[in-house]
Amino acid sequence: MNNGIAGFQVWSDGSCLGNPGAGGYAAIAFDPDGKELAVVTGREKRSTNQRMEMVAAAEGLAQLPLGVEVTVCTDSKYVVDGMTSWIFGWKRRGWKKADGEPVKNLELWQRLDREVSNRKVKWMHVRGHVGIELNERCDKLANEQARLAKAGE
């Protein structure tokens, strides 16, 4: 399933029941021929939607070999904006925001930064909940994980 996208792909989504609340994430990785390489899911008893979105992207990238070209497709503007714009200033300022305050979710931004450092990554924002098949699949998996986290499983 290449969706008109060249190279490797990662589709990712995060979910929280409450914010903060029980969280779940999902990512699906594909090779350049559209073959599904991995489906990764997970959950946290207490998280935020933004954190789950970040974990999903990082876990998806971690499934791919170093040195590849990859497009990460996510409905999280927070992740896309963070990785295509904000991160450069944060790093210049020693991981501080423009107001001098520490970056929120620092360890996850640094993890994403490590995951992209040896890959050529393009970030693509997709609209959520509009019937895009892989986005809907990730959303369903992430929500299932959030429900399991809430149930204490």
Side-chain angles (χ1 to χ4, degrees), residues 25-128:
Y25 66 85
I28 308 169
F30 294 89
D31 75 7
D33 296 323
K35 178 180 175 235
E36 189 172 293
L37 297 175
V39 176
V40 288
T41 61
R43 58 190 172 269
E44 293 181 7
K45 192 87 175 137
R46 187 157 177 84
S47 192
T48 65
N49 191 62
Q50 291 175 336
R51 289 182 63 81
M52 291 292 89
E53 295 279 5
M54 295 170 74
V55 170
E59 288 288 332
L61 283 166
Q63 305 308 305
L64 301 179
L66 298 178
V68 300
E69 278 188 41
V70 55
T71 300
V72 178
C73 303
T74 175
D75 61 12
S76 173
K77 285 287 284 173
Y78 178 71
V79 171
V80 172
D81 290 346
M83 293 305 294
T84 62
S85 179
W86 308 333
I87 196 168
F88 306 108
W90 294 338
K91 288 168 71 172
R92 264 194 323 274
R93 292 186 295 270
W95 294 98
K96 302 266 193 256
K97 298 185 300 181
D99 64 7
E101 291 294 313
V103 171
K104 287 182 173 53
N105 300 315
L106 174 62
E107 76 284 1
L108 292 175
W109 289 118
Q110 289 175 330
R111 179 176 179 203
L112 280 167
D113 190 45
R114 285 189 305 274
E115 292 295 347
V116 303
S117 68
N118 293 306
R119 297 177 181 92
K120 185 176 180 188
V121 179
K122 177 181 175 189
W123 295 91
M124 179 183 289
H125 179 258
V126 297
R127 286 186 54 215

